[in-house]
Amino acid sequence: MALILALESSCDDSAAALVTSDRQILAQAVVGQNEAHRPFGGVVPEIAARAHVEILPTLIRQVLNEADVAVGEVDAIAATAGPGLIGGLMVGLMAGKGLALATGKPLIAVNHLEGHALSPRLVDTDLDFPYLLLLASGGHCQLLEVRGVGDYRRLATTLDDAAGEAFDKAAKLLGLPYPGGPAIEELAADGDSTAVALPRPLVGTDEPHFSFAGLKGAVQRVVAAGDHGAADIAASFQQAVVDCFVDRTRRAFVVSDAPSLVVAGGVAANGSVRVALQQLAEGEGRRFSVPPAWLCTDNAAMIGWAGAERFAAGLVDGLDAPARARWPLDPEAEKVRGAGVKA
Ligand code: AMP
Ligand code: MG
């Protein structure tokens, strides 16, 4: 059994966790920075990095105390090394390197996307490789075939905005607070998802890519026209995203015969998204797995679990491991016209 101390600081959540290779989370702590970024309607990288400097060391001490573990007792230190906001990544990765240096334990530089990708295996003991993964977060929207630890094939990506970004931008247009996803979901519960005609970009096309910029533009025009209430717009927007997810994922099943479908990333916390994709998976005769909502949004438990899986595979890193703002899971993936902006 290996014990991993994990750190996460790639965006606006500071997090630390102690995770074992037999799927126990001995302790974990997440401190978000929503209040600090709310006045700006999105994450301000410099503010995020400075907040990680202030918060992260306290969280490390907190999880060690809570689990009654001395730092020298851990088997490895896992820290998110990318992709994400470079300032925050440098804070967390350097903290991890400091701990590795002080304890003499190996460093594992974890790809944040691999954290999301492997997270369902932390709670779903029956989820075996390969599986089809819809990764939908604030910075990404991809369909990946997860073949094993460190072995990913990207089937599709967004040509413009990430799914969570679309939620955040639509929320801003509706005057809702940041982060927009939970705010839209709450408001949508009181709305009619068929009330407003909105586009489903790329639906019906062969390659299962995504595009959300046009949807955002449509929301902007509907809000400006003033003919619909906010709840109906929120519900119709959410339904449009769900329809895109379902259609694109169904397309991906044409090229992947992976027996399971997994949804991860912050947008997977959305109830309508979860229900629709479960129905799709079952209709396609595939097993469905989605991590609990707390494991979908950014956290260090998933980084610890990815660290445990990499540690078991003998994949550790040197103290010269770089922080990487961009770090695709599938380095072989073809550049898609219009895409490539996101990792
Ligand atoms: P992540 O990038 O994985 O930390 O996820 C954050 C993103 O997920 C943000 O863009 C949020 O707006 C989005 N998100 C969080 N909760 C929900 C939700 N319930 N519905 C839709 N999007 C959500
Ligand atoms: Mg994330």
Side-chain angles (χ1 to χ4, degrees), residues 121-167:
R121 285 167 51 82
L122 172 57
V123 287
D124 183 347
T125 49
D126 297 328
L127 180 63
D128 294 323
F129 302 120
Y131 50 87
L132 182 67
L133 169 73
L134 170 60
L135 178 60
S137 69
H140 304 274
C141 191
Q142 304 186 348
L143 280 158
L144 294 147
E145 196 175 71
V146 180
R147 296 170 165 184
V149 177
D151 187 3
Y152 306 90
R153 184 164 70 111
R154 197 195 71 193
L155 305 177
T157 186
T158 178
L159 307 186
D160 38 60
D161 293 350
E165 193 180 355
F167 269 95

Side-chain angles (χ1 to χ4, degrees), residues 22-303:
D22 59 359
R23 295 184 161 87
Q24 292 178 67
I25 301 168
L26 300 189
Q28 68 159 324
V30 187
V31 172
Q33 310 167 359
N34 287 344
E35 276 66 40
H37 301 289
R38 190 162 287 143
F40 308 97
V43 178
V44 182
E46 169 104 14
I47 293 175
R50 287 169 186 266
H52 291 305
V53 170
E54 292 169 19
I55 300 166
L56 207 49
T58 314
L59 296 186
I60 296 168
R61 188 153 62 191
Q62 187 181 324
V63 295
L64 289 168
N65 284 348
E66 213 176 293
D68 200 17
V69 165
V71 69
E73 293 176 64
V74 307
D75 295 295
I77 315 287
T80 302
L85 302 173
I86 197 69
L89 290 168
M90 288 166 73
V91 173
L93 184 58
M94 268 314 287
K97 288 184 180 188
L99 289 165
L101 204 51
T103 56
K105 299 299 163 73
L107 172 80
I108 304 169
V110 175
N111 183 316
H112 178 87
L113 301 177
E114 182 164 50
H116 281 300
L118 298 177
S119 67
R121 285 167 51 82
L122 172 57
V123 287
D124 183 347
T125 49
D126 297 328
L127 180 63
D128 294 323
F129 302 120
Y131 50 87
L132 182 67
L133 169 73
L134 170 60
L135 178 60
S137 69
H140 304 274
C141 191
Q142 304 186 348
L143 280 158
L144 294 147
E145 196 175 71
V146 180
R147 296 170 165 184
V149 177
D151 187 3
Y152 306 90
R153 184 164 70 111
R154 197 195 71 193
L155 305 177
T157 186
T158 178
L159 307 186
D160 38 60
D161 293 350
E165 193 180 355
F167 269 95
D168 294 333
K169 287 178 174 173
K172 203 170 179 179
L173 291 167
L174 288 170
L176 299 172
Y178 174 84
I184 294 232
E185 182 173 19
E186 202 184 324
L187 186 59
D190 300 323
D192 174 1
S193 64
T194 63
V196 187
L198 292 171
R200 271 79 173 146
L202 297 183
V203 160
T205 57
D206 275 350
E207 284 197 271
H209 294 307
F210 301 88
S211 167
F212 295 108
L215 181 54
K216 174 192 65 188
V219 170
Q220 193 165 20
R221 287 190 291 279
V222 170
V223 171
D227 298 330
H228 295 280
D232 284 348
I233 301 174
S236 302
F237 167 81
Q238 181 173 272
Q239 189 59 48
V241 175
V242 166
D243 289 349
C244 293
F245 281 172
V246 168
D247 178 81
R248 310 289 64 209
T249 307
R250 185 183 286 121
R251 270 280 145 200
F253 280 139
V254 175
V255 286
S256 171
D257 53 11
S260 305
L261 171 66
V262 166
V263 197
V267 183
N270 184 287
S272 301
V273 168
R274 297 162 86 96
V275 168
L277 288 162
Q278 173 157 18
Q279 281 170 358
L280 171 72
E282 286 167 5
E284 295 274 336
R286 322 267 174 144
R287 193 173 175 277
F288 182 70
S289 186
V290 61
W294 62 264
L295 196 49
C296 287
T297 49
D298 287 347
N299 66 87
M302 71 178 190
I303 302 305

